Amino acid sequence: MFESTAIPTIVQLDASAPAALLTQTLPDARIIRFGEGEFLPPLTSISHLVVLGGESSAYDKALAPVAQLLTQAVDAGVPTLGICLGAQLLAVATGGAVEVDAPSGPENGIVEIRLRPDAAQDPVLGRVAERLGRDLPVVTMHADAITDLPPKATWLASSTQYPFQAFRIGSALGVQFHPEADAGTYAGWLERKTGADPSAARAEWAAHADSLTALLESLTAGLLATEPLHLAN
């Protein structure tokens, strides 16, 4: 039985991929540092779920409990957002596929994605489309990539390099990009992955700050506005 006191929950898979800006847009969420040994809470205590990114593969057996939680969330109608590795775990857990070290190579930096027509009707991305339009800059940092969407998924966004930038499966939205990344997180990632000057990376993020922050605000507002079906019953 689900608890009436269930709360938003962020699962951090890796210390290098923190909640960052989500601590501002989801201030009441608890953060579970799974990658540092903290136990996942029962689904019954979760009203809304966010699973962050990380360095591991979506096929890493150590992440099986997180994949199981994502499957349970979809089955129970828990509003869910999977980010980067979180989206890849969601895809694999619900019947899709991910390619490790995808042949198109790493997608690192601030790139433009295009929302597909179905995004306008999505309960979360619809808010993004209304506020920012179909073409928007996003922070991305990945080498593995979703190559097959789950059979019942709706394809919602693409980039020039990788087609599956966003998808919906039931109550869950998966995004390959990183809406939560702040300037410091982005600069650290880009320096480590490409050797880029962190000052230049911070300046690049700042140049897109209005769009990047509006994207996260719209995503989290849409997530929180989605009624948790498991608590409505």
Side-chain angles (χ1 to χ4, degrees):
M1 183 175 182
F2 283 87
E3 302 168 13
S4 60
T5 55
I7 59 174
T9 300
I10 299 170
V11 177
Q12 180 178 298
L13 302 178
D14 192 317
S16 69
L21 293 174
L22 280 168
T23 60
Q24 299 175 28
T25 58
L26 293 176
D28 298 325
R30 62 180 162 186
I31 298 177
I32 305 298
R33 293 172 175 82
F34 180 81
E36 299 173 36
E38 294 185 0
F39 291 104
L40 295 174
L43 186 67
T44 53
S45 70
I46 299 172
S47 64
H48 301 77
L49 175 64
V50 179
V51 178
L52 301 176
E55 299 282 350
S56 299
S57 158
Y59 297 104
D60 187 337
K61 292 182 180 179
L63 298 179
V66 181
Q68 182 179 24
L69 181 65
L70 284 164
T71 303
Q72 292 172 343
V74 172
D75 290 343
V78 177
T80 296
L81 175 64
I83 294 173
C84 197
L85 177 55
Q88 294 171 4
L89 284 167
L90 174 65
V92 171
T94 54
V98 167
E99 186 163 1
V100 177
D101 293 325
S104 293
E107 187 178 46
N108 298 330
I110 294 178
V111 304
E112 185 174 274
I113 65 167
R114 167 161 286 193
L115 299 180
R116 291 172 60 81
D118 283 342
Q121 284 73 51
D122 187 79
V124 176
L125 278 181
R127 290 177 177 246
V128 175
E130 183 176 358
R131 185 171 179 181
L132 296 172
R134 290 186 61 190
D135 299 307
L136 53 148
V138 299
V139 170
T140 188
M141 200 72 53
H142 69 104
D144 299 355
I146 299 166
T147 52
D148 292 294
L149 292 179
K152 296 181 180 180
T154 302
W155 181 18
L156 296 174
S158 61
S159 72
T160 300
Q161 187 170 353
Y162 283 106
F164 300 128
Q165 290 288 338
F167 68 95
R168 174 166 293 281
I169 178 81
S171 62
L173 173 68
V175 298
Q176 181 61 76
F177 51 90
H178 284 277
E180 84 290 0
D182 56 20
T185 302
Y186 174 63
W189 286 344
L190 207 59
E191 181 183 22
R192 189 168 71 252
K193 295 290 186 181
T194 71
D197 176 8
S199 296
R202 285 177 177 270
E204 181 189 19
W205 191 96
H208 295 282
D210 288 347
S211 293
L212 295 175
T213 54
L215 168 62
L216 181 63
E217 289 169 358
S218 299
L219 283 172
T220 49
L223 181 72
L224 292 176
T226 305
E227 184 178 15
L229 297 180
H230 60 297
L231 297 180
N233 294 333

